[in-house]
Amino acid sequence: FPLPFLFVKRESAEMERLSFSYDSVSISYDGISRGDKDRKNVRFQRGKMGKIEVFDSNGEEETFRFAEELGKRAKGGEIYCLEGDLGTGKTVFAKGFARGLGVQEVVDSPTFNFVKEYRGRVTLYHFDVYRIEDYTELQEIGFSDMLYSGGVSLIEWASQVEEEIPEEAKWITIEKDLEKGFSYRKIEIGERRK
């Protein structure tokens, strides 16, 4: 996983363009800036997931748009593991990611189904493995078959089945920080958890 390249360019007092390369793919994000204090921030650091990229989101729309841009660049066969406490915005992220893949259907969390399949420019397998209790349940839903089918897999609560996740998967963690505001989310994208 190469460490991404980043530049932030202010196009006006209200608009900034965020561009970075992630896994040899360029991503651009246009967003509204609310002044220097509240500007979106992307930084790179080493943490619990090895090399990580950190994106600061100040609301659901920013989270959605960031995920949408990531989805536009996703390729068949890629696996994205999505972590975060209840209410952090995993479903908002999944909706944006699906939109980026060209999914036109309504996307919601597959909590009681374990997996939902959506058609876009590439098939999206959206898993929620929070309620998975053992490996046999993964076998029953065809987990491995879907991971290696050529579609894109987005797995919520992936740490529940971490031993079944391939090494090349990308890990995304969404965290709240109420000191930075009720709508603030820190989104980390990185390597396999260490």
Side-chain angles (χ1 to χ4, degrees):
F1 231 72
L3 185 64
F5 166 75
L6 161 77
F7 71 90
V8 175
K9 176 179 146 193
R10 293 203 71 171
E11 296 184 353
S12 71
E14 293 80 35
M15 180 66 80
E16 65 185 16
R17 175 176 281 287
L18 170 66
S19 298
F20 60 93
S21 173
Y22 180 70
D23 198 21
S24 303
V25 176
S26 294
I27 294 177
S28 295
Y29 176 86
D30 291 325
I32 302 299
S33 173
R34 293 180 207 74
D36 290 339
K37 181 180 174 206
D38 295 327
R39 285 182 54 205
K40 285 175 292 306
N41 186 19
V42 174
R43 59 197 180 278
F44 305 102
Q45 63 191 40
R46 285 202 169 271
K48 64 185 176 192
M49 297 189 315
K51 293 177 187 174
I52 60 173
E53 173 190 332
V54 180
F55 175 77
D56 293 323
S57 171
N58 291 299
E60 287 186 1
E61 183 179 331
E62 287 181 13
T63 298
F64 182 95
R65 288 177 62 192
F66 178 77
E68 181 180 19
E69 289 301 320
L70 192 60
K72 286 178 182 177
R73 305 317 191 264
K75 299 176 190 140
E78 291 183 329
I79 300 166
Y80 295 84
C81 299
L82 186 57
E83 289 287 311
D85 291 336
L86 290 171
T88 56
K90 292 184 301 298
T91 301
V92 169
F93 188 96
K95 288 177 180 183
F97 190 82
R99 174 73 57 85
L101 286 170
V103 172
Q104 299 299 314
E105 300 171 60
V106 173
V107 173
D108 56 14
S109 185
T111 302
F112 297 102
N113 299 333
F114 298 128
V115 65
K116 289 189 176 179
E117 182 177 329
Y118 299 99
R119 300 285 179 201
R121 65 175 171 76
V122 64
T123 301
L124 171 64
Y125 297 102
H126 181 198
F127 296 90
D128 183 330
V129 296
Y130 182 76
R131 294 183 184 345
I132 294 284
E133 294 184 15
D134 62 47
Y135 179 70
T136 58
E137 288 180 298
L138 288 178
Q139 289 178 314
E140 288 171 8
I141 65 168
F143 184 75
S144 293
D145 294 336
M146 286 182 249
L147 289 186
Y148 297 105
S149 69
V152 173
S153 296
L154 181 66
I155 308 166
E156 293 188 37
W157 302 100
S159 61
Q160 299 286 99
V161 295
E162 189 166 356
E163 63 280 354
E164 303 301 324
I165 305 293
E167 286 290 324
E168 65 273 10
K170 296 164 180 66
W171 288 80
I172 302 165
T173 303
I174 305 175
E175 297 176 347
K176 290 182 186 180
D177 184 345
L178 295 177
E179 290 181 10
K180 294 185 178 183
F182 182 75
S183 297
Y184 172 83
R185 300 294 186 266
K186 178 171 77 170
I187 303 172
E188 297 178 339
I189 302 176
E191 303 171 328
R192 176 176 282 281
R193 299 150 85 65
K194 303 292 182 199

